[in-house]
């Protein structure tokens, strides 16, 4: 809502604008705090703190790759889509503008630091974060009855949606486990003696296909009861797989026909879904490259958690 009008005003091309925002928005579930990491950790019994820390290096690495890709595009391929700004802003003005970010940065540091230090559970940290956000809004003069009412209603809607998905997934998970399906799949794969990386390839392809049809949270909750035991039986680290899974979910957010980010950007930019999809396509390939890099170098995700835990 803020970036698109500003980028249009400055003359950026439609595809770089929509593609960058749609794909860049996916990094929010990889760089902590991340709802998918919380759901993954609570579903499979892994440490949410470890998952958060495991997502830091891959998240910033993908952000750097995105920026490098944009720089190469602007320099060598479609410079007309990336206008040079005539406006020059002094470093003093830039630093002065950062002052407004101090309360927000402190709030994020309090929430994330509390989780990493083991002082707070994710639920407690969320409560403190919500209370802190109310205080920050009051400090900036933006806390009104209307804003508070709208925030509470949005929170109720979001949580109701997630809880219904969780309930449905738990019912399906109970049915699958009662029928012995996960155990049968694991036994079948072990009987085939398939190579671990072949199993990983099949899982990636499955998520790429299903990600085009099912929203991210539903897809994760519905598939984890089957996929997680298979990956653990194949010898993959559960924290590493959590990071890979979130990247695959990111790809689902920018692939039609059910890519949620595509619909949001389409509505904001008042363009066609096809235009937004084409703008996002290069980032799908970059995210797949991220999965490949994590497969070849798993320490990208595992080094920091092992150093801190």
């Amino acid at each position: 809502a803020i970036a698109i009008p500003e980028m249009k005003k400055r003359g950026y091309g439609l595809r770089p604008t929509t593609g960058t925002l749609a794909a860049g928005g996916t990094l929010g579930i990889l760089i902590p705090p991340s709802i998918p990491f919380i759901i993954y950790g609570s579903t499979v019994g892994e440490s949410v703190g470890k998952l958060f820390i495991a997502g830091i290096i891959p998240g910033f690495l993908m952000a750097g790759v995105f920026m490098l890709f944009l720089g190469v595009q602007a320099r060598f391929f479609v410079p007309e889509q990336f206008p040079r700004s005539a406006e020059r802003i002094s470093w003093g003005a830039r630093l002065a503008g950062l002052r407004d970010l101090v309360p927000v940065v402190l709030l994020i540091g309090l929430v994330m630091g509390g989780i990493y230090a083991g002082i707070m559970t994710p639920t407690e940290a969320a409560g403190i974060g919500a209370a802190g956000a109310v205080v920050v809004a009051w400090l900036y003069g933006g806390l009104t009855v209307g804003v508070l009412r709208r925030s509470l209603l949005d929170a109720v809607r979001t949580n109701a949606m997630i809880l219904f998905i969780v309930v449905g997934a738990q019912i399906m998970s109970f049915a699958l486990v009662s029928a012995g399906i996960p155990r049968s799949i694991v036994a079948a794969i072990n009987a085939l003696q398939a190579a671990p990386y072949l199993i990983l390839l099949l899982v990636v392809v499955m998520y790429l296909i299903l990600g085009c049809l099912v929203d991210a949270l539903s897809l994760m909750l519905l598939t984890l009861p089957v996929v997680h035991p298979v990956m653990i039986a194949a010898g993959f680290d559960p924290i590493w797989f959590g990071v890979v899974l979130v990247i695959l979910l990111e790809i689902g957010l920018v692939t039609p026909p059910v890519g949620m980010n595509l619909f949001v950007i389409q509505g904001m930019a008042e363009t066609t879904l096809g235009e937004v999809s084409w703008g996002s396509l290069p980032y799908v390939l970059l995210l797949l490259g991220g999965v490949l890099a994590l497969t070849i170098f798993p320490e990208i995700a595992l080094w920091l958690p092992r150093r801190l835990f």
Side-chain angles (χ1 to χ4, degrees), residues 11 20 80 88 97 153:
T20 301
E80 70 279 1
R88 291 291 180 266
L153 287 174

Side-chain angles (χ1 to χ4, degrees), residues 13-226:
L14 183 60
R15 286 189 180 180
T17 298
T18 57
T20 301
L21 292 174
T26 66
L27 296 178
I29 66 172
L30 183 58
I31 300 173
S34 164
I35 291 177
F37 274 147
I38 293 173
I39 294 177
Y40 175 86
S42 61
T43 302
V44 304
E46 293 295 333
S47 166
V48 174
K50 285 185 180 180
L51 289 165
F52 277 5
I53 293 175
I56 292 175
I57 294 178
F60 282 103
L61 179 64
M62 291 309 306
V65 170
F66 285 4
M67 288 187 279
L68 179 63
F69 169 72
L70 286 168
V72 171
Q73 272 195 312
R75 186 74 175 86
F76 299 106
F77 293 102
V78 283
E80 70 279 1
Q81 300 281 321
F82 298 84
R84 292 183 176 272
S85 175
E87 184 180 3
R88 291 291 180 266
I89 302 175
S90 68
W91 280 103
R94 296 177 185 181
L95 293 174
L98 291 176
R99 283 199 302 263
D100 291 338
L101 293 178
V102 171
V104 178
V105 171
L106 290 176
L107 180 60
I108 294 173
L110 175 65
V111 172
M112 301 305 300
I115 295 174
Y116 293 156
I119 300 172
M120 297 179 283
T121 66
T123 303
E124 291 166 346
I128 291 175
V134 172
V135 173
V136 171
W138 175 73
L139 290 173
Y140 280 99
L143 183 61
T144 64
V145 174
V147 168
L148 186 60
R149 180 176 178 274
R150 188 165 62 250
S151 299
L152 293 174
L153 287 174
D154 287 345
V156 170
R157 290 192 188 100
T158 302
N159 281 280
M161 176 189 71
I162 293 174
L163 286 173
F164 271 109
I165 293 172
V166 170
V167 169
Q170 290 294 331
I171 293 172
M172 183 174 180
S173 173
F174 178 78
L176 290 173
V177 172
S178 299
I181 293 176
R183 186 171 58 254
S184 300
I185 292 175
V186 172
I189 291 175
N190 290 335
L192 289 173
Q193 296 183 339
Y197 290 106
L198 176 59
I199 296 172
L200 175 62
L201 177 61
L202 294 174
V203 169
V204 169
V205 171
M206 179 192 76
Y207 275 107
L208 290 178
I209 295 172
L210 292 179
C212 296
L213 306 171
V214 184
D215 71 274
L217 289 180
S218 300
L219 178 58
M220 180 171 61
L221 289 166
L222 293 172
T223 57
L224 271 179
V226 174

